[in-house]
């Protein structure tokens, strides 16, 4: 059984500041509010604020300049690389992508998706499943799940290919804004249908990248489960050392 554990206060504060950097509230080259101002604005202790700022400096969002304070550096290149798969899932233009739409259906919400969307276990959601192919070989199986309230008034339930990507489609019709993405990576064995679509022999696992796309309040709008054949993947990450 998997349990969801709330992030520490300093991590949540760092995420809030990070989102403000991304949306331009704190522009690159400008100073972030002082420690005192952040303590007052967020009602958190000074040690929590200091720790959040240190985390953002470590990851390349901020830097300290002597005599000037803490400066916004902007979005680090390593973060741009890391969330590429999430952006692809949200912005993939089905009408132009290499692959095929294999299923559009109302389905019982999978447990991991229910947790992310804040839905009860027996709820139903709309699923759009797209098989990404390169040179005739299946390379990704993307199952995107949408709560009923987000589907109404859109063409998400249509069996026709979406143009412009689900993010653009939903934002234009529902007046919502996708703000940030969380990715959770795990490994598992595929079910028979997934294995058949991906052309996998028995016993070959898949990497599952669960992409949770949220608005600025943290409410999940869309969850995509990207399955990658583990025998065809080489993962690489780059990070800074203190």
């Amino acid at each position: 059984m998997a349990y969801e554990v709330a992030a520490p206060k300093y991590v949540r504060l760092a995420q809030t500041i990070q989102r403000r950097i991304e949306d331009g509230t704190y522009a690159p080259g400008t100073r972030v509010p002082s420690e005192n101002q952040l303590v007052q604005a967020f009602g958190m202790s000074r040690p929590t604020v200091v720790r959040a700022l240190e985390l953002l400096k470590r990851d390349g969002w901020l830097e300290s300049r002597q005599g000037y304070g803490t400066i916004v550096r902007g979005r680090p290149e390593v973060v741009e690389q890391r969330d590429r798969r999430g952006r692809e899932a949200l912005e993939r233009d089905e009408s132009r992508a290499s692959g095929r739409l294999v299923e559009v259906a109302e389905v019982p919400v999978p447990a991991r998706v229910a947790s992310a969307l804040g839905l009860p276990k027996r709820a139903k959601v709309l699923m759009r499943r797209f098989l990404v192919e390169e040179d005739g070989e299946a390379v990704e199986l993307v199952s995107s799940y949408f709560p009923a309230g987000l589907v109404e008034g859109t063409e998400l339930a249509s069996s026709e290919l979406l143009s412009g990507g689900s993010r653009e489609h939903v934002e234009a019709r529902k007046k919502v804004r996708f703000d940030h993405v969380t990715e959770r990576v795990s490994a598992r064995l595929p079910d028979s249908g997934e294995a058949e679509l991906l052309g996998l022999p028995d016993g070959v696992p898949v990497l599952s990248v669960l992409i949770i796309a949220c608005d600025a309040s943290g409410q999940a709008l869309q969850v995509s489960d990207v399955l990658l054949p583990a025998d065809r993947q080489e993962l690489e990450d780059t990070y800074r050392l203190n």
Side-chain angles (χ1 to χ4, degrees), residues 105-124:
E106 188 179 74
V107 299
V109 61
R112 294 175 72 205
V113 176
S115 175
L117 289 174
L119 295 175
K121 293 180 180 179
R122 296 183 181 179
K124 289 196 172 182

Side-chain angles (χ1 to χ4, degrees), residues 57-204:
K57 292 173 188 176
R58 185 200 70 185
D59 289 346
W61 294 89
L62 304 174
E63 66 176 327
S64 294
R65 290 186 188 171
Q66 183 122 18
Y68 196 67
T70 301
I71 308 301
V72 177
R73 293 184 62 185
R75 187 176 178 84
E77 181 179 351
V78 291
V79 175
E80 294 282 3
Q81 302 269 340
R82 191 177 299 144
D83 72 356
R84 177 181 58 84
R85 199 172 299 281
R87 286 183 177 274
E88 286 179 351
L90 294 174
E91 299 175 3
R92 177 174 287 111
D93 187 332
E94 294 175 351
S95 65
R96 296 174 178 268
S98 175
R100 56 193 173 93
L101 185 65
V102 295
E103 186 178 3
V104 180
E106 188 179 74
V107 299
V109 61
R112 294 175 72 205
V113 176
S115 175
L117 289 174
L119 295 175
K121 293 180 180 179
R122 296 183 181 179
K124 289 196 172 182
V125 291
L126 179 76
M127 179 187 72
R128 292 184 70 87
R129 176 167 282 179
F130 193 87
L131 184 67
V132 182
E133 298 173 319
E134 293 180 2
D135 299 323
E137 181 182 46
V139 294
E140 290 183 19
L141 181 61
V142 184
S143 301
S144 295
Y145 301 90
F146 305 88
L150 202 69
V151 174
E152 185 179 355
T154 73
E155 297 174 17
L156 292 172
S158 170
S159 58
E160 299 295 322
L161 296 175
L162 286 181
S163 60
S166 59
R167 174 185 178 180
E168 179 181 325
H169 184 84
V170 169
E171 287 186 337
R173 288 157 178 79
K174 300 298 290 185
K175 307 305 179 185
V176 297
R177 180 178 180 273
F178 288 75
D179 180 77
H180 60 279
V181 166
T182 298
E183 296 185 8
R184 301 174 183 169
V185 181
S186 59
R188 64 175 174 86
L189 288 174
D191 63 33
S192 59
E194 294 165 344
E196 182 179 358
L197 285 168
L198 288 168
L200 296 176
D202 290 343
V204 175

Side-chain angles (χ1 to χ4, degrees), residues 24-36:
T25 302
Y26 301 151
T30 63
R31 284 186 292 182
V32 295
S34 68
E35 291 177 9
N36 284 337

Side-chain angles (χ1 to χ4, degrees), residues 85 89 140-143 207-211 224-228:
R85 199 172 299 281
E140 290 183 19
L141 181 61
V142 184
S143 301
L207 294 178
S208 168
V209 184
L210 194 70
I211 297 164
S224 295
D225 190 11
V226 180
L227 297 187
L228 308 161

